[in-house]
């Protein structure tokens, strides 16, 4: 059974993901069809960042996953037996 805190955190993550998805979708799919002098362009970054930001986020994700796996493997290793 999920506590109230878990539900609030889950709702916050879902809401954040939804906002991010809608923003990115508008930025990539809808914005190119709107005149470049329209005021809505003020709320979006330049188009090249649409590639740079996900690539950097993906690289950071792979880095953190690699570091996490390394730390878990390092902490769970058994000490080698010494033979005399």
């Amino acid at each position: 059974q999920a506590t109230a805190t878990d539900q609030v955190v889950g709702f916050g993550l879902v809401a954040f993901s939804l906002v991010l998805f809608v923003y990115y979708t508008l930025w990539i799919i809808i914005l190119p069809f709107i005149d470049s002098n329209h005021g809505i362009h003020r709320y979006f970054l330049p188009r090249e960042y649409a590639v740079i930001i996900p690539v950097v986020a993906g690289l950071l994700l792979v880095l953190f996953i690699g570091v996490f796996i390394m730390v878990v493997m390092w902490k769970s290793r058994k000490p080698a037996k010494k033979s005399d």
Side-chain angles (χ1 to χ4, degrees), residues 4-80:
T5 305
D6 292 338
Q7 291 177 348
V8 169
V9 169
F11 178 76
L13 289 172
V14 169
F16 175 73
S17 298
L18 181 64
V19 167
L20 191 64
F21 174 77
V22 169
Y23 179 85
Y24 193 77
T25 302
L26 288 173
W27 185 21
I28 299 305
I29 297 175
I30 306 297
L31 210 59
F33 298 106
I34 300 175
D35 275 340
S36 59
N37 58 359
H38 194 276
I40 197 168
H41 284 274
R42 291 180 293 166
Y43 301 108
F44 294 91
L45 292 171
R47 196 131 169 113
E48 57 268 8
Y49 288 107
V51 174
I52 294 171
I53 292 172
V55 167
V56 169
L59 289 174
L60 287 174
L61 179 66
V62 169
L63 173 73
F64 288 133
I65 289 172
V67 168
F68 174 76
I69 290 173
M70 183 186 70
V71 167
V72 168
M73 289 178 66
W74 183 59
K75 285 188 174 185
S76 67
R77 69 181 175 149
K78 296 179 182 176

